[in-house]
Amino acid sequence: MVKHRQNFVFGLLCMLMGIAFAIGAKGYSVGTSARMGAGFFPFYVSCLLILLGAWISVTSLGQDHKPEGNIGKLYVRPVIFILGANLLFGVLLVGLPSVGLPPMGLLVSVFATVIVAAMAGREFVWREALLLASVLAASCFVLFVVMLKLNLPVLPSFLTA
Amino acid sequence: MNFLLDNLSIGFSVALTLQNLSYALIGCLMGTLIGVLPGLGPVATIAMLLPATYSLSPVTALIMLAGIYYGAQYGGSTTAILVNLPGEPSSIVTTLDGYEMAKNGRAGPALSAAAIGSFIAGTIGTVGLAAFAVPLASVAIKFGPADYFSLMVFGLIGAVVLASGSLPKAIAMILIGMLVGMIGTDVNSGVERYSFDMPELADGIGFVVVAMGVFGYGEIMQNLSRGEIHRDLLTRKLTGLMPTKEDMKAMLPPILRGSAIGSIIGVLPGGGAMLAAFVSYTIEKKKKLKPDEVPLGKGNIRGVAGPESANNAGAQASFVPMLTLGIPPNPVMALMIGAMMIHDIQPGPQVISSNPELFWGLIASMWIGNLMLVVLNLPMIGMWVKLLTVPYRWLFPSIVLFCAIGVFTTNNTVWDIWMVAIFGLCGYILMRLGAEVAPLMLGLVLGPMMEENLRRALVISGGDWSVFVTRPISAFLLLMAALLVVLILSPALKKRREEAFKEDD
């Protein structure tokens, strides 16, 4: 019986990560303490992490269930839209040659990113999101291109070529 | 003393140039802004703005970034007092008495107590920084690799002992951070570790990417999972900013106590603004009340003046280990170290002698920045209050956008945008599992440094591990670290620590 679910899962994750890094470290020379190889430090840090993870998991077992340790509902919506907006920004800014998407430039990327990110919230109003995107697109242009002179493509490549 | 004045005059001649003054101002304004706005802290902001500082001189860049950090402490107190929501974690305790004062129609004196306290603390903190940094650096320059390794162990242990939450989990987060820091080319052997033959991973994972993913995106997703934050603005119009004579008399001693506490705690590893404010509040609460005084928690001005002074002094003092030892006591300082390395300045005890204008210029600018914050913020308080009414649903898409642009422009590669998404997801998962992310950042920065010093120490000793206990400095530091662990594990203290951290939840 798990009394503290957060700790139990966290400990398991630590063990997994430690095992993965320890296996990786074994691929490099570990060496001796006088002549440490590339694998020495990561290997022993991984071992510590595995032990600590095991300790955290084991101590989270018990009978008296602790409600503060519940993980709670996992919200997928913010994760998808926030990270999606971020990825979309990258894809639109530089293009995706493998699907034939040309670089779309800063302004298009800003619009898409802001609108998709806004969808992560509970209340999404198209008019508001468009207004916000317009304001941000204008201020990004002034701030990053005019003032800071960063080397960013502004318009889609097929318009400038 | 003369020596100190000479150095400060170098500093002021650097800090008072038009360019540095204007960047200090920009930093302070930006810091206040993010301090007022919920959901965006100094770590994410500094990470976002790092690329914009590439074209600046190193001292100008650091002046602006430092302004963001201590400016955020000012801004955080405004929201704490007016809407009962700390803009920054360091203002959590300010809500207790500050909001009560605002409810009683004394928001003005509370705000000015915070501002005046912060300014006095900033002045004391600056002088302290100037006075202690030089002797500390001259000691640090004698440190060997073994001593540095032990110092980092002590620093990391201190950081997790002083932080809230579960100790084993915080240590695990440090170890995870260290392992992530191992990714990339090993400087010693040239072997590419954990890079899966990807050239983008050969340079390692930048901490800007991790900071932005975890503190920027992770934080937003966590906030959105919690639902819309309700912000009830108490006073739309503020009148009577000036505190009365009695207020002044009541707030001066806590300001001085808070400044002293902040200066000491800020230097400690894992210390900084938040812990300083917390300790100051505890001390003010223990003080005997005067006959006509309202108790703390019911709107006592001491409960605002003390913690607000302490958090500002703590923010400034945390520059000491960063500037003199090259060791970050908190994630903000880890980013500052990154900013120095971008400009080819190796942080460490040699900075004071090799870059005196940078060191003293930064210190002088902090005092000027504190002055700016008082002068600007008290009259402009109305504007900051208006900003509070900006709903979160407008804020977070803007934060996502600026994070994405900031990440991209750091190296001008889209690779970083994929990486930041991965770390955002990891950060969110870890936060949902109740783990704190600050220790991860410290591990990430200190991990490679620890490996390098461990290697050097053991090469010198011929593989003999006893070098860590036979060198006096190293032995002392390890002993201190062990003492900290014993202290924290002792049942009596453990219980009190848990209670203490529960109180401010």
Side-chain angles (χ1 to χ4, degrees):
Chain A
M1 181 64 193
V2 178
K3 74 176 173 193
H4 199 292
R5 294 201 186 125
Q6 286 184 345
N7 285 0
F8 184 70
V9 178
F10 180 78
L12 288 185
L13 273 182
C14 288
M15 282 157 71
L16 261 177
M17 197 169 159
I19 291 168
F21 270 87
I23 292 172
K26 276 293 179 192
Y28 316 114
S29 96
V30 171
T32 62
S33 50
R35 293 200 61 85
M36 277 168 54
F40 188 95
F41 194 73
F43 180 74
Y44 287 103
V45 172
S46 307
C47 291
L48 272 178
L49 186 61
I50 297 169
L51 288 176
L52 198 58
W55 163 262
I56 293 171
S57 285
V58 168
T59 49
S60 73
L61 298 174
Q63 280 310 318
D64 49 333
H65 179 77
K66 292 217 165 62
E68 77 267 17
N70 283 351
I71 298 167
K73 197 173 162 239
L74 276 178
Y75 293 84
V76 186
R77 191 186 171 92
V79 176
I80 290 175
F81 283 98
I82 296 290
L83 297 183
N86 169 68
L87 295 177
L88 197 62
F89 179 82
V91 168
L92 288 175
L93 192 66
V94 298
L96 207 60
S98 54
V99 295
L101 181 79
M104 298 301 281
L106 182 69
L107 296 182
V108 174
S109 317
V110 170
F111 260 88
T113 308
V114 172
I115 289 169
V116 172
M119 288 176 179
R122 292 184 185 201
E123 14 178 355
F124 174 76
V125 187
W126 266 105
R127 222 180 46 195
E128 230 180 60
L130 280 171
L131 188 72
L132 182 67
S134 316
V135 172
L136 286 172
S139 31
C140 280
F141 177 72
V142 173
L143 188 68
F144 294 107
V145 181
V146 179
M147 281 169 69
L148 290 169
K149 296 191 178 64
L150 294 182
N151 188 20
L152 289 169
V154 180
L155 293 171
S157 59
F158 52 81
L159 286 182
T160 49
Chain B
M1 204 54 202
N2 265 338
F3 155 77
L4 195 62
L5 287 180
D6 283 349
N7 286 325
L8 281 178
S9 69
I10 301 177
F12 277 102
S13 67
V14 174
L16 286 172
T17 59
L18 188 63
Q19 194 196 20
N20 287 343
L21 276 178
S22 38
Y23 276 98
L25 182 66
I26 294 173
C28 289
L29 287 177
M30 199 95 81
T32 314
L33 178 71
I34 58 146
V36 171
L37 299 175
L40 184 60
V43 182
T45 313
I46 291 175
M48 261 187 254
L49 286 171
L50 267 184
T53 65
Y54 283 174
S55 54
L56 303 174
S57 73
V59 63
T60 312
L62 284 182
I63 283 175
M64 183 177 95
L65 298 178
I68 294 174
Y69 183 40
Y70 55 77
Q73 315 305 327
Y74 270 73
S77 60
T78 308
T79 47
I81 292 167
L82 291 178
V83 286
N84 200 17
L85 257 187
E88 294 303 318
S90 56
S91 298
I92 288 170
V93 286
T94 310
T95 57
L96 301 174
D97 280 271
Y99 188 65
E100 285 299 317
M101 283 181 74
K103 275 208 289 204
N104 302 337
R106 297 197 349 113
L111 287 168
S112 32
I116 295 168
S118 295
F119 174 69
I120 296 177
T123 310
I124 294 175
T126 306
V127 174
L129 177 53
F132 287 120
V134 179
L136 198 61
S138 60
V139 173
I141 220 136
K142 297 193 185 87
F143 276 29
D147 306 324
Y148 258 109
F149 180 82
S150 305
L151 178 66
M152 288 176 206
V153 172
F154 171 59
L156 286 172
I157 297 285
V160 290
V161 165
L162 297 177
S164 58
S166 145
L167 192 63
K169 273 163 106 177
I171 296 177
M173 290 296 273
I174 291 179
L175 296 176
I176 293 174
M178 282 179 163
L179 288 176
V180 174
M182 295 294 118
I183 297 173
T185 310
D186 174 27
V187 282
N188 203 53
S189 59
V191 175
E192 277 178 23
R193 291 189 288 198
Y194 308 105
S195 68
F196 303 102
D197 290 325
M198 282 189 259
E200 291 91 346
L201 279 177
D203 286 340
I205 290 174
F207 56 83
V208 171
V209 170
V210 180
M212 210 101 84
V214 170
F215 287 89
Y217 292 160
E219 208 53 76
I220 290 176
M221 292 187 277
Q222 178 80 332
N223 283 340
L224 288 176
S225 309
R226 273 197 218 113
E228 182 82 19
I229 312 161
H230 275 284
R231 284 177 286 170
D232 305 310
L233 196 54
L234 265 185
T235 25
R236 285 187 184 273
K237 274 218 173 103
L238 283 167
T239 42
L241 266 182
M242 277 321 284
T244 60
K245 224 181 197 162
E246 287 78 56
D247 286 336
M248 288 297 253
K249 232 170 154 180
M251 72 198 218
L252 196 64
I255 286 177
L256 294 178
R257 280 194 291 267
S259 306
I261 293 161
S263 304
I264 295 165
I265 286 176
V267 179
L268 298 177
M274 186 179 135
L275 187 75
F278 182 74
V279 173
S280 162
Y281 191 80
T282 316
I283 289 181
E284 293 309 323
K285 210 174 175 178
K286 290 238 161 76
K287 284 250 155 218
K288 251 214 160 96
L289 290 171
K290 292 209 183 87
D292 53 340
E293 224 181 340
V294 282
L296 263 89
K298 296 264 183 283
N300 189 322
I301 200 162
R302 285 199 288 127
V304 177
E308 280 302 315
S309 313
N311 72 25
N312 213 39
Q316 305 226 312
S318 61
F319 279 84
V320 171
M322 193 276 282
L323 284 170
T324 56
L325 306 171
I327 289 176
N330 56 40
V332 175
M333 291 303 127
L335 283 169
M336 298 291 272
I337 284 187
M340 287 168 86
M341 298 211 277
I342 285 172
H343 289 284
D344 278 331
I345 296 171
Q346 188 59 45
Q350 74 290 346
V351 170
I352 297 180
S353 48
S354 65
N355 299 71
E357 59 313 314
L358 176 120
F359 182 82
W360 296 106
L362 180 59
I363 288 181
S365 89
M366 284 191 203
W367 186 76
I368 297 172
N370 272 295
L371 188 64
M372 282 179 184
L373 283 165
V374 174
V375 175
L376 282 172
N377 280 358
L378 285 183
M380 278 166 68
I381 203 105
M383 194 189 97
W384 301 123
V385 170
K386 269 215 191 76
L387 269 174
L388 283 174
T389 53
V390 175
Y392 192 61
R393 64 176 189 279
W394 296 359
L395 277 180
F396 75 82
S398 320
I399 301 171
V400 171
L401 175 69
F402 285 110
C403 274
I405 295 179
V407 168
F408 178 78
T409 48
T410 308
N411 294 319
N412 264 320
T413 64
V414 77
W415 168 263
D416 286 349
I417 292 196
W418 317 144
M419 292 307 287
V420 85
I422 294 174
F423 280 101
L425 186 63
C426 296
Y428 176 66
I429 293 172
L430 290 169
M431 278 187 221
R432 289 308 296 248
L433 294 176
E436 281 181 78
V437 285
L440 183 136
M441 284 296 294
L442 296 181
L444 179 71
V445 174
L446 287 179
M449 290 161 86
M450 284 179 82
E451 182 186 21
E452 192 47 35
N453 282 297
L454 179 69
R455 170 149 47 202
R456 276 193 218 155
L458 288 176
V459 166
I460 295 170
S461 73
D464 183 5
W465 288 83
S466 70
V467 64
F468 292 103
V469 287
T470 48
R471 282 186 67 99
I473 301 175
S474 167
F476 174 73
L477 288 166
L478 285 180
L479 189 72
M480 296 288 285
L483 265 177
L484 274 178
V485 174
V486 171
L487 264 179
I488 197 70
L489 291 179
S490 74
L493 212 101
K494 197 173 165 191
K495 205 166 161 230
R496 280 196 54 186
R497 176 173 174 269
E498 273 159 15
E499 275 166 12
F501 282 113
K502 229 167 231 161
E503 213 169 309
D504 62 66
D505 273 343

